[in-house]
């Protein structure tokens, strides 16, 4: 399980880094700038693969999941506090300098005041974690 999770996170981070320079471009624009996607180089910053705000948020989710899992059976009630704390911590970190959207930052601010996640896009990994999704009655 640990190797699969590591592989999933690594794949997500690489895919996110590869997609960063093409964000908001359509397929024709991407092809014109970079050619075939298989030949596109990995974007780097200071000699390291670029880490986006989405990757940072996914790592925050992973840290929260790890904390919740270490405390016992993974339930929504056990998951929510550490994930909330990691998102708020990320939103206030000096490492959070990858131009996250204002809606996302406002959602994290609401979380810091015991609010619910409203608006903004949650990190991609959250969409695959049933325990992290709000129930239909809780969804905005």
């Amino acid at each position: 399980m640990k190797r699969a999770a590591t592989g999933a996170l690594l794949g997500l981070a690489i895919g996110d880094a590869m997609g960063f320079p093409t964000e908001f471009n359509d397929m024709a624009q991407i092809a014109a700038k970079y050619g075939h996607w298989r030949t596109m180089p990995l974007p780097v910053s200071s000699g390291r693969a670029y880490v986006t705000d989405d990757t940072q948020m996914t790592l925050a989710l992973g840290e929260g999941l790890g904390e919740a899992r270490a405390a016992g059976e993974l339930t929504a009630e056990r998951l929510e506090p550490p994930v909330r704390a990691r998102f708020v911590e990320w939103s206030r970190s000096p490492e959070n300098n990858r131009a996250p959207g204002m809606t996302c930052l406002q959602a994290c601010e609401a979380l810091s005041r015991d609010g619910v996640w409203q608006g903004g896009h949650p990190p991609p990994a959250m969409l695959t974690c049933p325990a992290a999704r709000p129930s239909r009655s809780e969804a905005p």
Side-chain angles (χ1 to χ4, degrees):
M1 177 78 164
K2 187 175 180 180
R3 289 182 69 176
T6 300
L9 288 172
L10 182 60
L12 186 144
I14 291 171
D16 203 30
M18 295 294 290
F20 174 74
T22 64
E23 192 170 13
F24 308 116
N25 294 162
D26 62 30
M27 292 299 290
Q29 292 169 320
I30 294 168
K33 288 180 188 176
Y34 300 101
H36 194 279
W37 67 270
R38 289 181 188 258
T39 61
M40 185 177 162
L42 180 65
V44 295
S45 175
S46 301
R48 295 181 178 215
Y50 193 80
V51 177
T52 70
D53 60 315
D54 290 339
T55 299
Q56 290 175 323
M57 289 185 71
T58 299
L59 292 172
L61 174 63
E63 291 168 358
L65 280 166
E67 288 176 42
R69 203 160 148 70
E73 181 181 350
L74 191 58
T75 64
E77 292 77 22
R78 186 167 280 136
L79 177 65
E80 187 269 332
V83 169
R84 174 187 295 268
R86 292 309 135 248
F87 281 165
V88 170
E89 182 181 280
W90 164 80
S91 72
R92 295 176 176 168
S93 168
E95 290 293 314
N96 179 8
N97 59 1
R98 273 73 170 191
M102 186 54 74
T103 305
C104 178
L105 292 176
Q106 290 170 344
C108 287
E109 182 58 32
L111 288 176
S112 75
R113 296 186 313 270
D114 290 328
V116 297
W117 186 274
Q118 295 183 357
H121 298 291
M126 182 185 279
L127 302 176
T128 65
C129 179
R133 289 186 221 138
S135 70
R136 291 191 187 273
S137 63
E138 297 170 330

